[in-house]
Amino acid sequence: MASSSCWRCLLRPQTYASRPSAFLPSTGTTASPFLSRAVTPAIPFSTSSPYNAAKAPAKGGNISRVQAGPPRRGQKSLRIKKKSPVKATTRPPAPGERKAARKRIVLSNTNAVEVQGLKELSPETMVDAQNHGQVLGIPGPVVDQLRAVEAFKTTQAWKLFRQPSTLQTKQSLDLAQQVAKVTDGENGKRTFLRKILTGDKASGKSVLLLQAMAMAFLKGWVVISIPDAQELTIAHTAYSPLRNTEPKQYVQKAYMSELLSRTLRANQPVLNGLQLSQEHPGMPVPLQSNMTLARLAELGAKDADLAWPAFQALWTELSAAPANAPARPPVMLAIDNLAHVMRNSAYRDADFNLIHAHDLAIVNHFVKHLSGEKTLPQGGAIVAATSASNTPLTPTMTLALRQIEARAAGTPEKDLPQPSAWEPVDERVKQVFAARGGIDVHTLSKVSREEARGLLEYYAASGLLRAAVNDSLVAEKWILAGGGIVGELERGAVTMRV
Amino acid sequence: MNSVRIRACFNNIAVSWSRHPGRGINSAWTHRSILHQTRCQSFSQSAARTGIAAPEIDFSTNEQIRDVSLLERVRVIPASPSYFTAKPDFTDSFLSLQNIYRKYQTLPTVQPGHAPRVSWKSLAQYRLLVGEPVKAAKYHKVLQILGRLNQIHPSLMPEEVRREIDSYKRLLNAHENMPRERTGDGFGRAIGVGRRKSSSARVWLVEGDGQVLVNGKSLTETFPRLHDRESALWALKATQRLDKYNVWALVSGGGLTGQAGALTLGVAKALLIHEPALKPALRRAGCITRDPRRVERKKPGKVKARKMPAWVKR
């Protein structure tokens, strides 16, 4: 029976080497005595490596040197077997799976004890001074809204408790009163609050921002939130120049569509009740005249190309005062990690210069409202929180905040903090804070011992702190938390519990 | 030279002693002779030789020779019978010590543990002094007598005993070196200094309500790690005084762990000024003893203190 393979393919290397040299190609050609014409193998075949090696000295190499095989006197150098790379036996994580696990927010722990008699945050309780120093639970619908605007952070210990709850500090009470005041209006006119939350690391800036958003949701506001300003400026999302803008602005379509989607999910009930009241020539697609604002937001959320015009249209609608329609609700703009938008972004323009973060369209929108250049006729607030852990150096903003604080404390102009001669001044950032004033800088103070006691009692009631909450325990935890840094209090009492 | 000096020849004397085998060095005769000799005890080598060996015979003066009998001229007797113990100086001093003890053993003593603490000469120092290879066990017996003599009530201590005891004391008595008593500064501040690894901390402690400033910063700013914060204030936490004092501290050198450890000791020392009775509690909490460990030095031929370079084939 004839084999389908040629004889050469069946040879093993050693047998091949020991064959008479007559069978070997004696010159550089591949001519074989058995073949009528010289052939070159089209496909290199693995078992015929000596054959291929024999081809190599075509340029006049020594044939005897080429005949492969181990050296007669054995290997002279030490041969250490290389470790083969370890083959993973498990399934590798799917794209995005790791990030999803990293960003996962767990807001309930069914093993935690349900706190008996826990009051819930409501328009009434949030302004009630009697709740000062107590923990209030966030109602379920608001939790969903807050989750939609990504107000909960992975570094916070929500996953340990049955229900997301926050401490009513003096500052949150003040903020709640201000939110209530804006909603109710003064002399029939609503104001537009501009607040910046600063403070030590883990002093509760992001949570106060979350409380502000929760209050806004409870009061029926529309909340538009940038949960982490860093995402806009570190060049991780696509950008493109915006036509007819001077200086040139850049729009981040994908991020805008995400933002609209989050805004829609969080504000669905409010936006569903509002209808278009104006023409929007900027929209590339025709809009129905009786379209709801939720539908408008959905347009932008679904199509990234429509996201920016849809956002602009939505904003126009929200700031309009329609004559024959229900009044527009106040709007809260929230932005966390503010320092990232107070400097150059990592994006480049056509000349490869760094783009200032204020030239990014959505950042510009927020900054204009922060500076007071733009405002909302029906009132609202912009609340910006700084970060103390992941924050770039922004000397101009830091100085401006210190100056505002000093002015608020009654320091005369000549004694205000002065800029350092060695630090560059960012004129655009300087203008934001200098232009109109009226920005309220809110430095978060440390919690008092009474507030700490309320928090520790809540931990104990949740079954996470197994100790009698007495004066000595409160004092110990409070002192070890740097004198009332609320995040450290949480770490010392709950998160780092052994 | 008409003056010929002869010295007591050991061989001759050995022969003479061998004729009286019944007389051991501990015989009654030896003791008696020592008792009768009021030889001043001397510890120096040359003085010992003059004290023990017989005086040299000077043949230059004929009168002297004439008066001395032949036997006495030929047979030289050592000044101390302990000469033949091979450790004559030690034996003599030990016997004199024993004598003194017997003489004064009836004197009233202080209660055990109340005698003044004395650091006696070490064995090596004592050997140097007597110039003889004294065994440790023998010196131990000396020390036992000395300890007993030291227990004699100080008000009744005879001068003779005092002089004897003093010759066995070290020049510097470590037990007299008492630590300086620390006090506050009159404004209610107590300072304590603590060290750990290469950090050192100065801590000022005042009565207060639990405020802490380290290098002008709050505790959380100085020590982001909870463990470090706890160890920095461990002395106060272990004694449940966290909210009774305010801490103002300066700490420098080393890393965060070392600085926290230095603060532990500093706070404990300052706390002891306010409340000395807390010392046992603080010792139990491990806040009294300084941790002497430092970074081990790098050695030549090694990559670090212990790590050896990787093996390379040629």
Side-chain angles (χ1 to χ4, degrees):
Chain A
M1 185 182 165
S3 168
S4 60
S5 308
C6 71
W7 63 270
R8 199 183 288 124
C9 306
L10 296 172
L11 290 177
R12 302 263 77 79
Q14 61 270 27
T15 54
Y16 182 67
S18 61
R19 287 187 75 88
S21 61
F23 291 101
L24 284 172
S26 55
T27 60
T29 64
T30 53
S32 164
F34 296 104
L35 296 170
S36 57
R37 55 189 177 87
V39 288
T40 46
I43 308 158
F45 191 66
S46 62
T47 52
S48 58
S49 56
Y51 166 73
N52 289 334
K55 275 197 339 178
K59 292 161 192 163
N62 187 356
I63 189 71
S64 63
R65 185 171 57 92
V66 168
Q67 287 183 2
R72 280 179 195 160
R73 291 182 186 174
Q75 284 286 347
K76 279 188 181 173
S77 61
L78 177 72
R79 284 207 161 179
I80 298 171
K81 203 177 173 187
K82 276 189 181 172
K83 282 182 188 171
S84 57
V86 181
K87 277 183 185 172
T89 51
T90 52
R91 181 185 61 87
E97 193 177 322
R98 281 181 183 158
K99 186 175 183 185
R102 200 171 69 233
K103 300 264 179 186
R104 198 165 68 112
I105 302 282
V106 180
L107 293 180
S108 182
N109 173 14
T110 47
N111 291 322
V113 179
E114 196 165 357
V115 180
Q116 297 299 319
L118 180 73
K119 285 189 204 164
E120 287 213 329
L121 200 67
S122 70
E124 293 78 41
T125 55
M126 73 184 196
V127 290
D128 191 352
Q130 280 194 336
N131 292 330
H132 177 215
Q134 286 192 9
V135 175
L136 298 183
I138 302 173
V142 181
V143 169
D144 292 341
Q145 287 174 304
L146 290 172
R147 189 200 269 274
V149 292
E150 295 181 13
F152 299 105
K153 300 286 155 71
T154 49
T155 49
Q156 298 156 352
W158 305 110
K159 66 179 172 200
L160 298 174
F161 300 93
R162 177 62 77 103
Q163 179 191 359
S165 314
T166 54
L167 178 71
Q168 282 298 94
T169 58
K170 188 164 182 315
Q171 286 142 332
S172 41
L173 269 177
D174 289 349
L175 196 62
Q177 277 157 2
Q178 283 173 330
V179 168
K181 209 165 153 188
V182 168
T183 319
D184 299 341
E186 262 183 311
N187 307 327
K189 199 172 182 319
R190 285 172 175 170
T191 49
F192 189 74
L193 288 179
R194 291 179 285 142
K195 286 184 99 63
I196 295 179
L197 312 177
T198 64
D200 290 334
K201 191 174 176 181
S203 59
K205 301 175 288 293
S206 294
V207 171
L208 187 57
L209 186 64
L210 176 144
Q211 285 177 323
M213 284 191 267
M215 292 157 191
F217 281 127
L218 285 170
K219 283 284 185 183
W221 292 25
V222 172
V223 176
I224 301 173
S225 165
I226 295 176
D228 189 356
Q230 176 184 252
E231 290 170 14
L232 283 169
T233 58
I234 56 172
H236 279 205
T237 180
Y239 72 117
S240 52
L242 203 56
R243 263 182 217 160
N244 307 326
T245 48
E246 189 59 39
K248 201 65 166 170
Q249 287 195 8
Y250 298 82
V251 65
Q252 290 145 303
K253 286 180 192 167
Y255 188 90
M256 283 312 301
S257 118
E258 270 294 301
L259 179 68
L260 280 177
S261 160
R262 287 199 301 261
T263 310
L264 176 65
R265 265 182 287 142
N267 303 290
Q268 189 107 40
V270 181
L271 294 182
N272 268 336
L274 303 172
Q275 288 190 337
L276 290 190
S277 66
Q278 298 186 350
E279 295 292 314
H280 296 287
M283 278 299 281
V285 290
L287 300 176
Q288 283 181 353
S289 60
N290 61 348
M291 193 186 214
T292 62
L293 294 192
R295 181 80 190 96
L296 176 64
E298 199 184 342
L299 272 181
K302 285 197 173 154
D303 189 351
D305 286 332
L306 291 181
W308 178 244
F311 178 80
Q312 280 183 311
L314 181 66
W315 190 259
T316 316
E317 288 294 336
L318 285 175
S319 52
N324 49 1
R328 300 301 196 203
V331 179
M332 176 172 280
L333 293 173
I335 180 168
D336 203 346
N337 213 345
L338 181 70
H340 278 277
V341 294
M342 290 295 167
R343 59 170 198 156
N344 278 337
S345 72
Y347 291 106
R348 303 275 182 173
D349 65 6
D351 300 329
F352 205 64
N353 297 319
L354 285 173
I355 297 172
H356 196 278
H358 292 184
D359 287 335
L360 302 172
I362 181 66
V363 174
N364 191 271
H365 177 84
F366 271 69
V367 164
K368 286 266 167 64
H369 286 86
L370 183 65
S371 70
E373 198 177 325
K374 284 183 182 171
T375 186
L376 273 178
Q378 81 277 25
I382 176 162
V383 187
T386 60
S387 170
S389 48
N390 168 29
T391 184
L393 284 179
T394 47
T396 313
M397 185 186 82
T398 315
L399 175 76
L401 296 188
R402 281 173 57 210
Q403 282 179 338
I404 292 170
E405 272 187 290
R407 258 190 221 110
T411 312
E413 279 299 308
K414 62 179 174 53
D415 294 339
L416 288 182
Q418 293 303 309
S420 162
W422 313 108
E423 282 166 344
V425 177
D426 191 332
E427 287 299 334
R428 302 189 64 176
V429 174
K430 194 176 168 187
Q431 265 183 347
V432 171
F433 295 98
R436 277 168 182 80
I439 297 179
D440 184 12
V441 174
H442 204 102
T443 305
L444 267 79
S445 60
K446 300 169 179 180
V447 295
S448 68
R449 287 198 199 201
E450 290 70 38
E451 290 165 346
R453 177 183 272 272
L455 197 57
L456 289 174
E457 274 169 357
Y458 168 71
Y459 292 157
S462 298
L464 291 164
L465 178 68
R466 290 178 195 166
V469 180
N470 49 27
D471 281 347
S472 65
L473 181 91
V474 173
E476 181 202 314
K477 299 290 180 197
W478 185 82
I479 290 164
L480 288 177
I485 297 286
V486 67
E488 296 293 343
L489 201 62
E490 183 186 81
R491 266 170 95 190
V494 172
T495 320
M496 305 273 287
R497 190 169 63 92
V498 283
Chain B
M1 290 281 282
N2 48 4
S3 94
V4 179
R5 287 162 185 256
I6 62 163
R7 312 190 88 194
C9 169
F10 179 79
N11 285 341
N12 286 348
I13 294 162
V15 168
S16 73
W17 270 99
S18 64
R19 288 173 197 156
H20 308 282
R23 289 182 181 176
I25 53 166
N26 289 328
S27 65
W29 184 86
T30 317
H31 280 276
R32 200 166 52 246
S33 68
I34 284 178
L35 283 178
H36 284 241
Q37 283 171 2
T38 52
R39 187 169 61 83
C40 178
Q41 188 188 350
S42 59
F43 281 129
S44 77
Q45 199 115 34
S46 58
R49 190 172 295 126
T50 54
I52 292 162
E56 292 172 357
I57 301 169
D58 191 356
F59 291 97
S60 57
T61 51
N62 290 337
E63 296 81 18
Q64 226 181 356
I65 296 170
R66 213 183 302 125
D67 294 344
V68 181
S69 71
L70 178 67
L71 183 65
E72 276 180 53
R73 260 187 284 152
V74 175
R75 182 171 173 248
V76 184
I77 301 171
S80 162
S82 313
Y83 185 82
F84 303 105
T85 62
K87 298 179 184 70
D89 236 356
F90 165 71
T91 313
D92 282 348
S93 61
F94 180 64
L95 291 174
S96 82
L97 198 63
Q98 256 182 345
N99 261 342
I100 291 173
Y101 165 54
R102 283 192 191 125
K103 191 170 164 188
Y104 298 110
Q105 66 181 350
T106 53
L107 283 178
T109 58
V110 294
Q111 282 180 339
H114 286 73
R117 293 190 74 183
V118 178
S119 46
W120 305 111
K121 282 192 162 65
S122 69
L123 179 60
Q125 286 172 328
Y126 182 71
R127 279 177 181 158
L128 272 177
L129 196 72
V130 295
E132 289 166 1
V134 184
K135 285 185 178 172
K138 299 285 182 193
Y139 187 54
H140 183 67
K141 288 187 173 176
V142 174
L143 290 184
Q144 275 181 327
I145 298 175
L146 284 172
R148 176 60 184 73
L149 287 175
N150 192 40
Q151 278 188 3
I152 296 174
H153 201 282
S155 60
L156 301 167
M157 181 74 81
E159 185 57 33
E160 186 187 0
V161 179
R162 196 188 307 280
R163 259 192 280 114
E164 189 70 15
I165 283 181
D166 282 350
S167 66
Y168 286 91
K169 282 182 182 172
R170 289 192 200 189
L171 290 177
L172 291 172
N173 184 3
H175 300 298
E176 286 171 1
N177 193 11
M178 298 300 286
R180 186 166 50 87
E181 198 181 332
R182 295 173 190 281
T183 54
D185 64 351
F187 298 103
R189 296 177 295 203
I191 184 175
V193 178
R195 293 191 180 84
R196 164 101 166 86
K197 291 190 179 181
S198 53
S199 310
S200 75
R202 281 171 291 159
V203 178
W204 283 265
L205 204 66
V206 291
E207 285 183 22
D209 57 352
Q211 298 171 44
V212 184
L213 273 186
V214 180
N215 289 348
K217 293 181 287 185
S218 78
L219 200 59
T220 41
E221 281 174 83
T222 320
F223 299 115
R225 216 162 69 103
L226 178 65
H227 183 90
D228 289 339
R229 292 200 290 270
E230 277 194 352
S231 65
L233 298 182
W234 181 245
L236 294 173
K237 194 182 169 189
T239 53
Q240 283 149 15
R241 269 153 182 78
L242 263 178
D243 54 344
K244 306 284 191 294
Y245 292 97
N246 288 352
V247 178
W248 195 89
L250 295 176
V251 55
S252 63
L256 287 184
T257 313
Q259 293 196 337
L263 277 173
T264 313
L265 254 65
V267 170
K269 280 190 190 173
L271 183 59
L272 279 183
I273 297 172
H274 284 286
E275 297 180 61
L278 285 179
K279 188 154 187 179
L282 287 172
R283 187 176 290 288
R284 266 179 270 125
C287 302
I288 300 289
T289 312
R290 198 255 204 239
D291 189 346
R293 291 174 296 173
R294 299 293 302 264
V295 174
E296 189 173 334
R297 65 152 288 188
K298 188 201 173 296
K299 279 95 180 172
K302 303 224 173 190
V303 183
K304 302 197 290 182
R306 309 260 176 107
K307 185 185 181 185
M308 286 298 288
W311 179 81
V312 179
K313 179 178 181 287
R314 277 177 288 280

